[in-house]
Amino acid sequence: MNNSGMQENSPEAAGNSQSILGKVANADALKGFKSTEDAFGMKALENVRSANSDSSSQNKPLIRLQDPEHLDPAVTDFKTEQEVWNKIEEVKKEQGQAGVSSLYPRKWKRILPKNESSDETQHTFSVLQFNVLAEGLSSGPTVTTPFQIDTGDQTDSRGGNNYGGFVGTKNPELVLDFVHRRWRILEVLLTTHDENNNPGEGGCRERYNIMAVEEMDRYYGFFMPILKLFGYNGLFIPKERAPGTKLGWYSDGCGLFWSDKMFELVSEEKRGFNVGNQVFLIVVLRHRVSDKLIIVAVTHLKAQDNEANEQIRIAQVTELLQHIDTVSNSIGSTFEDIPVLIMGDFNSAPSLVDDKPSTVGCILDRNEGNKYDSSYSLNDEGFYTTWKTRGDKTTQRVIDYIFFNGPRCNSLECMNILDVPSVEDVAPDVLPNLRYPSDHVMIAAKFKLS
């Protein structure tokens, strides 16, 4: 048991996928992984199928990670925040030779009436949600993969190592090259869009206090070491059988970062769902100033827009909500007393049919148990969280969310949301492009602890 009373996965249950996933970030759990090297000489860790698995899948990696003890050479020379910003500007300048490369302008939208006496206090914090687009799902055909491609399994429907099938992206060799794109992802994570607070000399004064990310496959070697320079701590959970692994890449998964100055980690729970290979992460954080606890969850649900997969997503989100209830009960708090945030890529649009079960409906209109609200209005015209062309299909829809338990919670209010890039600014391009490094837009909200 950990210090919140949440049951941790047993290391003895080596054949259980949830045990592997739940323990993977802990040093003692890495004993289940074998050490190897990628094509560039970087230390890596693999967890492969056991000998009693189906013979056709033996020795294929379930999980492949960068070794947490070995940094990506791209980050070893960076010692200060300003050095990181300088690198970001260098990459933008290089991309700018092909067209406009600045991030799209965005503004914060007020949700609550302004109250000078209680607004901008030490009890406010900001969060973001961002599917960063995995390197293994977007790289080009001429890029050397870290590992051997599984030539016997080329079933990935998203374009394999052909720029992920993003045929609508111009200059893909520049936009989707991860050598450039990782720095633009950092730019999105570190740019708050507050007035007079965009990157410049000395970087941003303000930062997001909690960041939920999906499809991150360079957590240990790149993103976590860089974000530590900016005062963040974090956790990561990889997917088993992530599609990028058969294409020669590392496993992607869900990450959660928080400002170590504002929040302290109390407990964590990392699991794979009972159905599918998707994962979730739940943490309890303590707000250092107010001493209040807050539950934060991040997940990435089953992809593809069809009825069969929607049923899987419904099962997954139902399981997630049950675990959150259990965590809340384990720390002796009622739903009305403890703030809860649920963020992620749910791969499901808001349902327009009230009497038809849906993934989002399970959260907003839960028949039994605690209900949640969306920080964004899901009916707003012009609101989208992904806009891309893959193959011959262009999609623009809402599938990423920031849910919270207010106003049912007595101590949490959503004050502001960050608007998405306007359709006029993005069109006729689609995502990703020179001005944005992912096929999803980052969404963000500001909250107040009452």
Side-chain angles (χ1 to χ4, degrees):
M1 303 287 283
N2 60 22
N3 59 357
S4 73
M6 290 189 288
Q7 182 68 42
E8 293 184 336
N9 295 307
S10 169
E12 288 78 17
N16 182 290
S17 64
Q18 290 188 356
S19 298
I20 294 170
L21 291 165
K23 298 289 288 184
V24 74
N26 298 331
D28 60 343
L30 295 178
K31 295 175 183 177
F33 288 69
K34 70 173 186 178
S35 180
T36 184
E37 284 189 356
D38 68 17
F40 307 101
M42 288 295 298
K43 297 291 184 182
L45 298 170
E46 284 187 344
N47 183 299
V48 298
R49 294 183 182 277
S50 60
N52 59 4
S53 299
D54 180 83
S55 59
S56 64
S57 7
Q58 286 183 32
N59 301 320
K60 292 185 179 181
L62 287 170
I63 300 171
R64 183 186 285 146
L65 303 170
Q66 291 180 294
D67 190 323
E69 301 300 320
H70 296 266
L71 297 182
D72 189 313
V75 307
T76 54
D77 294 334
F78 292 90
K79 306 299 182 184
T80 68
E81 296 178 13
Q82 188 59 51
E83 289 174 338
V84 174
W85 283 118
N86 291 344
K87 179 62 178 181
I88 291 171
E89 291 302 316
E90 175 187 319
V91 169
K92 288 171 66 176
K93 184 177 180 179
E94 182 177 349
Q95 290 184 325
Q97 296 177 11
V100 178
S101 61
S102 58
L103 290 179
Y104 292 113
R106 304 176 65 176
K107 294 182 179 180
W108 286 93
K109 179 181 178 181
R110 190 77 190 180
I111 301 299
L112 291 179
K114 191 169 183 62
N115 184 338
E116 296 293 346
S117 63
S118 61
D119 231 12
E120 309 304 328
T121 71
Q122 298 180 74
H123 292 182
T124 63
F125 65 95
S126 58
V127 307
L128 72 74
Q129 150 60 32
F130 190 27
N131 180 323
V132 300
L133 179 57
E135 178 185 18
L137 297 177
S138 58
S139 293
T142 62
V143 178
T144 301
T145 60
F147 301 92
Q148 185 176 354
I149 297 173
D150 185 354
T151 56
D153 190 357
Q154 295 294 298
T155 58
D156 185 70
S157 62
R158 286 161 286 200
N161 287 328
N162 189 24
Y163 300 117
F166 290 106
V167 299
T169 293
K170 301 174 183 176
N171 305 297
E173 73 288 345
L174 194 58
V175 171
L176 293 170
D177 179 5
F178 200 68
V179 171
H180 296 87
R181 197 166 66 83
R182 58 187 168 185
W183 297 102
R184 301 306 305 273
I185 291 171
L186 279 173
E187 182 185 15
V188 173
L189 294 175
L190 295 170
T191 303
T192 61
H193 296 276
D194 282 307
E195 187 176 0
N196 301 320
N197 192 43
N198 284 321
E201 186 175 350
C204 288
R205 295 188 300 274
E206 299 294 334
R207 301 189 187 101
Y208 297 101
N209 305 119
I210 299 174
M211 304 191 296
V213 297
E214 300 80 45
E215 288 195 24
M216 181 167 278
D217 47 12
R218 293 283 186 164
Y219 172 88
Y220 289 112
F222 183 78
F223 286 104
M224 188 67 256
I226 288 289
L227 289 172
K228 275 186 177 294
L229 292 176
F230 290 83
Y232 287 100
N233 209 333
L235 290 168
F236 175 73
I237 178 168
K239 282 188 284 192
E240 286 190 336
R241 301 181 303 279
T245 57
K246 64 187 177 186
L247 298 170
W249 301 97
Y250 287 98
S251 300
D252 73 271
C254 295
L256 189 73
F257 303 93
W258 61 90
S259 165
D260 203 40
K261 182 178 180 180
M262 180 172 287
F263 291 103
E264 175 189 18
L265 178 65
V266 175
S267 61
E268 63 186 78
E269 180 172 353
K270 290 173 279 191
R271 287 183 175 270
F273 288 108
N274 291 330
V275 180
N277 70 323
Q278 288 71 35
V279 296
F280 65 89
L281 168 63
I282 304 172
V283 303
V284 178
L285 300 175
R286 183 181 69 84
H287 186 250
R288 294 184 186 274
V289 172
S290 68
D291 206 39
K292 290 182 179 293
L293 298 181
I294 177 172
I295 297 173
V296 184
V298 55
T299 191
H300 188 184
L301 302 186
K302 178 72 173 177
Q304 298 184 353
D305 185 19
N306 58 59
E307 184 57 32
N309 286 350
E310 180 70 357
Q311 293 306 310
I312 293 175
R313 288 188 288 269
I314 289 173
Q316 290 176 338
V317 79
T318 300
E319 182 181 351
L320 173 63
L321 293 173
Q322 290 170 346
H323 277 281
I324 292 173
D325 289 347
T326 299
V327 171
S328 178
N329 292 334
S330 73
I331 58 179
S333 296
T334 66
F335 190 72
E336 291 76 20
D337 293 330
I338 186 164
V340 180
L341 293 169
I342 307 174
M343 298 182 279
D345 176 354
F346 289 76
N347 271 309
S348 184
S351 176
L352 299 178
V353 183
D354 292 337
D355 59 350
K356 183 180 180 180
S358 69
T359 302
V360 177
C362 287
I363 301 173
L364 300 180
D365 303 309
R366 204 173 173 195
N367 292 327
E368 296 180 3
N370 303 314
K371 297 182 181 181
Y372 297 84
D373 290 336
S374 169
S375 57
Y376 285 77
S377 170
L378 302 182
N379 299 317
D380 279 1
E381 185 177 353
F383 178 51
Y384 64 95
T385 65
T386 184
W387 187 359
K388 58 196 169 193
T389 298
R390 260 191 173 131
D392 60 356
K393 184 179 181 181
T394 297
T395 58
Q396 184 198 69
R397 60 189 189 132
V398 176
I399 57 176
D400 305 88
Y401 302 91
I402 300 173
F403 297 113
F404 69 110
N405 63 336
R408 297 168 184 84
C409 176
N410 298 322
S411 57
L412 185 66
E413 294 179 287
C414 183
M415 296 166 37
N416 306 79
I417 57 171
L418 184 65
D419 66 5
V420 298
S422 71
V423 172
E424 293 75 18
D425 279 342
V426 178
D429 293 333
V430 290
L431 305 176
N433 57 46
L434 288 169
R435 303 191 68 179
Y436 218 79
S438 175
D439 56 326
H440 294 245
V441 297
M442 177 269 287
I443 57 175
K446 295 179 180 179
F447 291 91
K448 179 176 67 173
L449 290 170
S450 301

mmCIF file of all heavy atoms in Angstrom, residues 118-125 209 258-266 285-294 447-450:
data_model
loop_
_atom_site.group_PDB
_atom_site.id
_atom_site.type_symbol
_atom_site.label_atom_id
_atom_site.label_comp_id
_atom_site.label_asym_id
_atom_site.label_seq_id
_atom_site.Cartn_x
_atom_site.Cartn_y
_atom_site.Cartn_z
ATOM 1 N N SER A 118 -10.822 38.061 -4.578
ATOM 2 C CA SER A 118 -10.490 36.646 -4.439
ATOM 3 C C SER A 118 -9.921 36.025 -5.708
ATOM 4 O O SER A 118 -9.703 34.840 -5.767
ATOM 5 C CB SER A 118 -11.755 35.864 -4.041
ATOM 6 O OG SER A 118 -12.741 35.994 -5.061
ATOM 7 N N ASP A 119 -9.672 36.870 -6.709
ATOM 8 C CA ASP A 119 -9.324 36.328 -8.019
ATOM 9 C C ASP A 119 -7.894 35.821 -8.096
ATOM 10 O O ASP A 119 -7.631 34.636 -8.068
ATOM 11 C CB ASP A 119 -9.563 37.382 -9.084
ATOM 12 C CG ASP A 119 -10.406 36.839 -10.215
ATOM 13 O OD1 ASP A 119 -10.975 35.755 -10.051
ATOM 14 O OD2 ASP A 119 -10.454 37.490 -11.240
ATOM 15 N N GLU A 120 -6.965 36.756 -8.297
ATOM 16 C CA GLU A 120 -5.582 36.372 -8.532
ATOM 17 C C GLU A 120 -4.873 36.195 -7.196
ATOM 18 O O GLU A 120 -4.121 37.030 -6.744
ATOM 19 C CB GLU A 120 -4.887 37.438 -9.385
ATOM 20 C CG GLU A 120 -5.658 37.807 -10.643
ATOM 21 C CD GLU A 120 -5.960 36.591 -11.511
ATOM 22 O OE1 GLU A 120 -5.141 35.643 -11.522
ATOM 23 O OE2 GLU A 120 -7.010 36.581 -12.159
ATOM 24 N N THR A 121 -5.096 35.072 -6.585
ATOM 25 C CA THR A 121 -4.513 34.792 -5.285
ATOM 26 C C THR A 121 -3.565 33.613 -5.389
ATOM 27 O O THR A 121 -3.390 33.003 -6.430
ATOM 28 C CB THR A 121 -5.613 34.452 -4.261
ATOM 29 O OG1 THR A 121 -6.150 33.156 -4.602
ATOM 30 C CG2 THR A 121 -6.725 35.484 -4.289
ATOM 31 N N GLN A 122 -2.978 33.274 -4.271
ATOM 32 C CA GLN A 122 -2.082 32.124 -4.223
ATOM 33 C C GLN A 122 -2.848 30.808 -4.377
ATOM 34 O O GLN A 122 -2.230 29.750 -4.470
ATOM 35 C CB GLN A 122 -1.317 32.114 -2.903
ATOM 36 C CG GLN A 122 -0.424 33.322 -2.704
ATOM 37 C CD GLN A 122 0.298 33.270 -1.382
ATOM 38 O OE1 GLN A 122 1.247 32.504 -1.193
ATOM 39 N NE2 GLN A 122 -0.153 34.087 -0.445
ATOM 40 N N HIS A 123 -4.173 30.873 -4.408
ATOM 41 C CA HIS A 123 -4.978 29.654 -4.508
ATOM 42 C C HIS A 123 -5.454 29.391 -5.930
ATOM 43 O O HIS A 123 -6.318 28.547 -6.142
ATOM 44 C CB HIS A 123 -6.171 29.730 -3.560
ATOM 45 C CG HIS A 123 -5.779 29.684 -2.109
ATOM 46 N ND1 HIS A 123 -6.701 29.689 -1.087
ATOM 47 C CD2 HIS A 123 -4.569 29.641 -1.507
ATOM 48 C CE1 HIS A 123 -6.070 29.646 0.075
ATOM 49 N NE2 HIS A 123 -4.777 29.623 -0.163
ATOM 50 N N THR A 124 -4.921 30.114 -6.907
ATOM 51 C CA THR A 124 -5.278 29.846 -8.298
ATOM 52 C C THR A 124 -4.174 29.024 -8.948
ATOM 53 O O THR A 124 -2.998 29.121 -8.574
ATOM 54 C CB THR A 124 -5.480 31.147 -9.084
ATOM 55 O OG1 THR A 124 -4.246 31.875 -9.122
ATOM 56 C CG2 THR A 124 -6.567 31.996 -8.449
ATOM 57 N N PHE A 125 -4.560 28.201 -9.922
ATOM 58 C CA PHE A 125 -3.575 27.409 -10.654
ATOM 59 C C PHE A 125 -4.106 27.144 -12.057
ATOM 60 O O PHE A 125 -5.307 27.242 -12.320
ATOM 61 C CB PHE A 125 -3.270 26.094 -9.928
ATOM 62 C CG PHE A 125 -4.430 25.136 -9.829
ATOM 63 C CD1 PHE A 125 -4.602 24.111 -10.758
ATOM 64 C CD2 PHE A 125 -5.364 25.256 -8.798
ATOM 65 C CE1 PHE A 125 -5.663 23.230 -10.671
ATOM 66 C CE2 PHE A 125 -6.435 24.368 -8.701
ATOM 67 C CZ PHE A 125 -6.595 23.358 -9.644
ATOM 68 N N ASN A 209 0.678 25.065 -14.199
ATOM 69 C CA ASN A 209 1.042 24.398 -12.953
ATOM 70 C C ASN A 209 0.852 22.886 -13.003
ATOM 71 O O ASN A 209 1.532 22.150 -12.285
ATOM 72 C CB ASN A 209 0.218 24.981 -11.801
ATOM 73 C CG ASN A 209 0.349 26.488 -11.704
ATOM 74 O OD1 ASN A 209 -0.631 27.227 -11.830
ATOM 75 N ND2 ASN A 209 1.577 26.976 -11.517
ATOM 76 N N TRP A 258 3.841 18.519 -12.952
ATOM 77 C CA TRP A 258 3.299 19.534 -12.050
ATOM 78 C C TRP A 258 4.429 20.412 -11.529
ATOM 79 O O TRP A 258 5.586 19.996 -11.445
ATOM 80 C CB TRP A 258 2.535 18.903 -10.884
ATOM 81 C CG TRP A 258 3.388 18.005 -10.012
ATOM 82 C CD1 TRP A 258 4.114 18.363 -8.913
ATOM 83 C CD2 TRP A 258 3.614 16.600 -10.206
ATOM 84 N NE1 TRP A 258 4.770 17.275 -8.403
ATOM 85 C CE2 TRP A 258 4.481 16.183 -9.170
ATOM 86 C CE3 TRP A 258 3.160 15.664 -11.133
ATOM 87 C CZ2 TRP A 258 4.913 14.863 -9.053
ATOM 88 C CZ3 TRP A 258 3.589 14.350 -11.019
ATOM 89 C CH2 TRP A 258 4.451 13.955 -9.992
ATOM 90 N N SER A 259 4.068 21.649 -11.213
ATOM 91 C CA SER A 259 5.022 22.587 -10.641
ATOM 92 C C SER A 259 5.389 22.115 -9.237
ATOM 93 O O SER A 259 4.529 22.038 -8.350
ATOM 94 C CB SER A 259 4.402 23.987 -10.565
ATOM 95 O OG SER A 259 5.161 24.819 -9.713
ATOM 96 N N ASP A 260 6.680 21.817 -9.053
ATOM 97 C CA ASP A 260 7.113 21.320 -7.751
ATOM 98 C C ASP A 260 7.041 22.406 -6.690
ATOM 99 O O ASP A 260 6.949 22.124 -5.493
ATOM 100 C CB ASP A 260 8.537 20.782 -7.872
ATOM 101 C CG ASP A 260 8.878 19.781 -6.783
ATOM 102 O OD1 ASP A 260 8.015 18.962 -6.451
ATOM 103 O OD2 ASP A 260 10.010 19.832 -6.263
ATOM 104 N N LYS A 261 7.055 23.653 -7.123
ATOM 105 C CA LYS A 261 6.948 24.763 -6.176
ATOM 106 C C LYS A 261 5.535 24.885 -5.638
ATOM 107 O O LYS A 261 5.332 25.255 -4.476
ATOM 108 C CB LYS A 261 7.362 26.068 -6.858
ATOM 109 C CG LYS A 261 7.349 27.286 -5.961
ATOM 110 C CD LYS A 261 7.812 28.516 -6.712
ATOM 111 C CE LYS A 261 7.805 29.758 -5.825
ATOM 112 N NZ LYS A 261 8.267 30.974 -6.551
ATOM 113 N N MET A 262 4.536 24.538 -6.463
ATOM 114 C CA MET A 262 3.142 24.700 -6.054
ATOM 115 C C MET A 262 2.530 23.433 -5.483
ATOM 116 O O MET A 262 1.709 23.491 -4.561
ATOM 117 C CB MET A 262 2.294 25.173 -7.236
ATOM 118 C CG MET A 262 0.828 25.366 -6.904
ATOM 119 S SD MET A 262 -0.131 26.130 -8.230
ATOM 120 C CE MET A 262 0.445 27.825 -8.153
ATOM 121 N N PHE A 263 2.940 22.259 -6.011
ATOM 122 C CA PHE A 263 2.296 21.011 -5.609
ATOM 123 C C PHE A 263 3.315 19.978 -5.132
ATOM 124 O O PHE A 263 4.449 19.930 -5.616
ATOM 125 C CB PHE A 263 1.512 20.407 -6.773
ATOM 126 C CG PHE A 263 0.293 21.185 -7.169
ATOM 127 C CD1 PHE A 263 0.309 21.996 -8.294
ATOM 128 C CD2 PHE A 263 -0.873 21.120 -6.411
ATOM 129 C CE1 PHE A 263 -0.817 22.712 -8.672
ATOM 130 C CE2 PHE A 263 -2.002 21.836 -6.774
ATOM 131 C CZ PHE A 263 -1.967 22.640 -7.899
ATOM 132 N N GLU A 264 2.861 19.145 -4.213
ATOM 133 C CA GLU A 264 3.655 18.028 -3.710
ATOM 134 C C GLU A 264 2.904 16.728 -4.003
ATOM 135 O O GLU A 264 1.696 16.634 -3.779
ATOM 136 C CB GLU A 264 3.873 18.163 -2.198
ATOM 137 C CG GLU A 264 4.588 16.979 -1.570
ATOM 138 C CD GLU A 264 4.597 17.050 -0.055
ATOM 139 O OE1 GLU A 264 3.782 17.810 0.526
ATOM 140 O OE2 GLU A 264 5.401 16.322 0.559
ATOM 141 N N LEU A 265 3.605 15.716 -4.521
ATOM 142 C CA LEU A 265 2.985 14.423 -4.806
ATOM 143 C C LEU A 265 2.701 13.680 -3.501
ATOM 144 O O LEU A 265 3.597 13.495 -2.678
ATOM 145 C CB LEU A 265 3.901 13.587 -5.695
ATOM 146 C CG LEU A 265 3.399 12.183 -6.043
ATOM 147 C CD1 LEU A 265 2.134 12.238 -6.887
ATOM 148 C CD2 LEU A 265 4.489 11.379 -6.746
ATOM 149 N N VAL A 266 1.461 13.263 -3.344
ATOM 150 C CA VAL A 266 1.056 12.492 -2.168
ATOM 151 C C VAL A 266 0.983 11.008 -2.510
ATOM 152 O O VAL A 266 1.482 10.157 -1.773
ATOM 153 C CB VAL A 266 -0.304 12.991 -1.630
ATOM 154 C CG1 VAL A 266 -0.792 12.120 -0.479
ATOM 155 C CG2 VAL A 266 -0.203 14.452 -1.200
ATOM 156 N N LEU A 285 -2.305 15.223 -5.365
ATOM 157 C CA LEU A 285 -1.338 16.283 -5.125
ATOM 158 C C LEU A 285 -1.780 17.138 -3.937
ATOM 159 O O LEU A 285 -2.975 17.329 -3.724
ATOM 160 C CB LEU A 285 -1.202 17.182 -6.364
ATOM 161 C CG LEU A 285 -0.739 16.517 -7.667
ATOM 162 C CD1 LEU A 285 -0.787 17.535 -8.805
ATOM 163 C CD2 LEU A 285 0.665 15.947 -7.523
ATOM 164 N N ARG A 286 -0.809 17.643 -3.214
ATOM 165 C CA ARG A 286 -1.107 18.585 -2.130
ATOM 166 C C ARG A 286 -0.691 19.975 -2.565
ATOM 167 O O ARG A 286 0.458 20.190 -2.960
ATOM 168 C CB ARG A 286 -0.360 18.200 -0.849
ATOM 169 C CG ARG A 286 -0.689 19.121 0.341
ATOM 170 C CD ARG A 286 0.088 18.725 1.586
ATOM 171 N NE ARG A 286 1.508 18.996 1.450
ATOM 172 C CZ ARG A 286 2.087 20.171 1.685
ATOM 173 N NH1 ARG A 286 1.343 21.220 2.053
ATOM 174 N NH2 ARG A 286 3.390 20.320 1.548
ATOM 175 N N HIS A 287 -1.644 20.902 -2.527
ATOM 176 C CA HIS A 287 -1.356 22.305 -2.825
ATOM 177 C C HIS A 287 -0.597 22.882 -1.639
ATOM 178 O O HIS A 287 -1.112 22.937 -0.518
ATOM 179 C CB HIS A 287 -2.668 23.063 -3.061
ATOM 180 C CG HIS A 287 -2.489 24.466 -3.511
ATOM 181 N ND1 HIS A 287 -2.781 25.547 -2.705
ATOM 182 C CD2 HIS A 287 -2.026 24.984 -4.688
ATOM 183 C CE1 HIS A 287 -2.532 26.660 -3.353
ATOM 184 N NE2 HIS A 287 -2.083 26.358 -4.556
ATOM 185 N N ARG A 288 0.654 23.288 -1.855
ATOM 186 C CA ARG A 288 1.541 23.614 -0.736
ATOM 187 C C ARG A 288 1.056 24.813 0.091
ATOM 188 O O ARG A 288 1.221 24.836 1.310
ATOM 189 C CB ARG A 288 2.950 23.897 -1.276
ATOM 190 C CG ARG A 288 3.625 22.667 -1.898
ATOM 191 C CD ARG A 288 5.055 22.992 -2.323
ATOM 192 N NE ARG A 288 5.699 21.888 -3.040
ATOM 193 C CZ ARG A 288 6.337 20.880 -2.451
ATOM 194 N NH1 ARG A 288 6.389 20.814 -1.137
ATOM 195 N NH2 ARG A 288 6.916 19.938 -3.178
ATOM 196 N N VAL A 289 0.455 25.813 -0.560
ATOM 197 C CA VAL A 289 0.045 27.009 0.172
ATOM 198 C C VAL A 289 -1.195 26.759 1.012
ATOM 199 O O VAL A 289 -1.247 27.101 2.202
ATOM 200 C CB VAL A 289 -0.193 28.177 -0.809
ATOM 201 C CG1 VAL A 289 -0.799 29.373 -0.076
ATOM 202 C CG2 VAL A 289 1.116 28.578 -1.480
ATOM 203 N N SER A 290 -2.215 26.152 0.403
ATOM 204 C CA SER A 290 -3.487 25.953 1.108
ATOM 205 C C SER A 290 -3.556 24.643 1.877
ATOM 206 O O SER A 290 -4.442 24.461 2.706
ATOM 207 C CB SER A 290 -4.638 25.987 0.106
ATOM 208 O OG SER A 290 -4.569 24.855 -0.755
ATOM 209 N N ASP A 291 -2.628 23.719 1.581
ATOM 210 C CA ASP A 291 -2.607 22.377 2.167
ATOM 211 C C ASP A 291 -3.773 21.508 1.691
ATOM 212 O O ASP A 291 -4.036 20.451 2.246
ATOM 213 C CB ASP A 291 -2.596 22.434 3.701
ATOM 214 C CG ASP A 291 -1.948 21.198 4.305
ATOM 215 O OD1 ASP A 291 -0.942 20.722 3.747
ATOM 216 O OD2 ASP A 291 -2.467 20.681 5.315
ATOM 217 N N LYS A 292 -4.489 21.944 0.658
ATOM 218 C CA LYS A 292 -5.598 21.167 0.121
ATOM 219 C C LYS A 292 -5.077 20.053 -0.787
ATOM 220 O O LYS A 292 -4.063 20.205 -1.471
ATOM 221 C CB LYS A 292 -6.550 22.065 -0.680
ATOM 222 C CG LYS A 292 -7.360 23.034 0.168
ATOM 223 C CD LYS A 292 -8.297 23.845 -0.720
ATOM 224 C CE LYS A 292 -9.141 24.794 0.116
ATOM 225 N NZ LYS A 292 -10.092 24.057 0.975
ATOM 226 N N LEU A 293 -5.807 18.939 -0.805
ATOM 227 C CA LEU A 293 -5.501 17.842 -1.708
ATOM 228 C C LEU A 293 -6.328 17.972 -2.979
ATOM 229 O O LEU A 293 -7.451 18.478 -2.962
ATOM 230 C CB LEU A 293 -5.790 16.495 -1.042
ATOM 231 C CG LEU A 293 -4.991 16.153 0.220
ATOM 232 C CD1 LEU A 293 -5.392 14.772 0.729
ATOM 233 C CD2 LEU A 293 -3.492 16.207 -0.048
ATOM 234 N N ILE A 294 -5.757 17.510 -4.098
ATOM 235 C CA ILE A 294 -6.465 17.525 -5.365
ATOM 236 C C ILE A 294 -6.145 16.235 -6.105
ATOM 237 O O ILE A 294 -4.995 15.779 -6.106
ATOM 238 C CB ILE A 294 -6.083 18.765 -6.204
ATOM 239 C CG1 ILE A 294 -6.780 18.749 -7.566
ATOM 240 C CG2 ILE A 294 -4.578 18.890 -6.367
ATOM 241 C CD1 ILE A 294 -6.589 20.026 -8.365
ATOM 242 N N PHE A 447 -8.030 27.517 -12.647
ATOM 243 C CA PHE A 447 -8.950 27.160 -11.574
ATOM 244 C C PHE A 447 -8.603 27.915 -10.288
ATOM 245 O O PHE A 447 -7.475 28.390 -10.110
ATOM 246 C CB PHE A 447 -8.902 25.655 -11.305
ATOM 247 C CG PHE A 447 -9.470 24.815 -12.393
ATOM 248 C CD1 PHE A 447 -8.666 24.344 -13.424
ATOM 249 C CD2 PHE A 447 -10.824 24.475 -12.403
ATOM 250 C CE1 PHE A 447 -9.186 23.569 -14.446
ATOM 251 C CE2 PHE A 447 -11.363 23.698 -13.405
ATOM 252 C CZ PHE A 447 -10.534 23.242 -14.437
ATOM 253 N N LYS A 448 -9.587 27.990 -9.438
ATOM 254 C CA LYS A 448 -9.397 28.601 -8.123
ATOM 255 C C LYS A 448 -9.811 27.615 -7.040
ATOM 256 O O LYS A 448 -10.910 27.027 -7.097
ATOM 257 C CB LYS A 448 -10.231 29.881 -8.003
ATOM 258 C CG LYS A 448 -10.097 30.573 -6.641
ATOM 259 C CD LYS A 448 -10.858 31.879 -6.609
ATOM 260 C CE LYS A 448 -12.351 31.669 -6.684
ATOM 261 N NZ LYS A 448 -13.099 32.935 -6.495
ATOM 262 N N LEU A 449 -8.940 27.430 -6.076
ATOM 263 C CA LEU A 449 -9.278 26.644 -4.884
ATOM 264 C C LEU A 449 -9.931 27.564 -3.882
ATOM 265 O O LEU A 449 -9.337 28.553 -3.441
ATOM 266 C CB LEU A 449 -8.005 26.027 -4.280
ATOM 267 C CG LEU A 449 -7.346 24.901 -5.077
ATOM 268 C CD1 LEU A 449 -5.975 24.569 -4.468
ATOM 269 C CD2 LEU A 449 -8.235 23.659 -5.095
ATOM 270 N N SER A 450 -11.167 27.270 -3.530
ATOM 271 C CA SER A 450 -11.908 28.139 -2.605
ATOM 272 C C SER A 450 -11.485 27.836 -1.179
ATOM 273 O O SER A 450 -11.225 26.669 -0.836
ATOM 274 C CB SER A 450 -13.407 27.898 -2.750
ATOM 275 O OG SER A 450 -13.814 28.152 -4.073
#
